[in-house]
Amino acid sequence: MGQSLERWLKQTSPMSPAADAMLNLLVASSRVEEGMQKVLRDYSITRRQYNVLRILRGVYPSGHPRSEIAMRMVDRSPDVTRLVDRLTEIGFVERIRGTKDKRESIAKLTVKGYELMHTLDPLVRDYIEKEFGGLFTAEECRELSRLCERTYANGEAGKLDQ
């Protein structure tokens, strides 16, 4: 176990390299998530709500049904309806009826939501550059991305739910 992980977990028990790697990935993910939440805190949105806004901005001024938002989420949140409801309450998202299926509602970014994303863009970009640009070279970032992709492209995590 690496020294940083030992200090973080306050544990010195030996573990397999795979367990060490997995715990390091979980701790790093938690730290990055906390940092992103600090960036978003002043705007009273969560990281998951930001993810919904980011997805909807990608198709602005159109929108997506909840099922499409759920498929595009970084965290496959089972409660997309609640996230969209909250964003609708605070005026960042609106819902409209589907044109093909009147039972379906389409979530769309409002002008207020679009402006929020425009405000957040440099803050998020600065956070990313500070956290990763200062720690890793461009090549190391590509290698980290490649290794992370192997962890979820493997499909093993999805098999645990079955």
Side-chain angles (χ1 to χ4, degrees):
M1 178 183 320
Q3 292 177 351
S4 293
L5 186 60
E6 281 182 9
R7 282 193 305 274
W8 186 273
L9 299 178
K10 297 175 180 23
Q11 173 182 329
T12 58
S13 304
M15 61 179 73
S16 72
D20 188 56
M22 186 194 76
L23 282 172
N24 268 301
L25 187 58
L26 290 171
V27 169
S29 173
S30 176
R31 185 175 171 279
V32 169
E33 185 170 350
E34 288 171 13
M36 260 309 272
Q37 196 56 54
K38 285 179 186 174
V39 171
L40 302 171
R41 182 181 304 141
D42 291 342
Y43 300 90
S44 300
I45 62 170
T46 67
R47 190 182 53 77
R48 286 179 179 84
Q49 289 169 335
Y50 172 78
N51 190 201
V52 171
L53 294 172
R54 184 191 58 76
I55 291 165
L56 293 176
R57 183 187 43 192
V59 293
Y60 184 80
S62 297
H64 280 309
R66 284 185 309 269
S67 60
E68 186 67 25
I69 294 169
M71 287 183 353
R72 294 169 181 260
M73 294 284 292
V74 171
D75 299 328
R76 299 294 166 107
S77 175
D79 206 2
V80 172
T81 300
R82 184 182 59 79
L83 293 170
V84 171
D85 285 348
R86 176 69 181 126
L87 290 167
T88 301
E89 286 173 21
I90 56 181
F92 296 137
V93 169
E94 65 180 337
R95 282 202 182 130
I96 59 168
R97 288 276 163 231
T99 54
K100 294 179 185 170
D101 183 349
K102 298 295 183 196
R103 295 170 296 175
E104 179 179 67
S105 70
I106 306 296
K108 294 176 61 172
L109 202 58
T110 63
V111 171
K112 181 180 175 183
Y114 189 83
E115 289 170 352
L116 173 68
M117 293 303 288
H118 185 72
T119 299
L120 289 173
D121 282 343
L123 301 174
V124 170
R125 192 171 34 253
D126 288 350
Y127 169 71
I128 291 168
E129 286 306 312
K130 182 181 132 221
E131 286 300 306
F132 290 93
L135 284 176
F136 303 111
T137 65
E139 184 57 37
E140 288 171 327
C141 285
R142 284 189 282 278
E143 179 65 7
L144 179 59
S145 291
R146 187 186 69 75
L147 292 170
C148 287
E149 285 179 8
R150 279 178 55 189
T151 66
Y152 58 83
N154 180 357
E156 291 301 315
K159 291 179 185 176
L160 295 175
D161 295 338
Q162 298 173 359

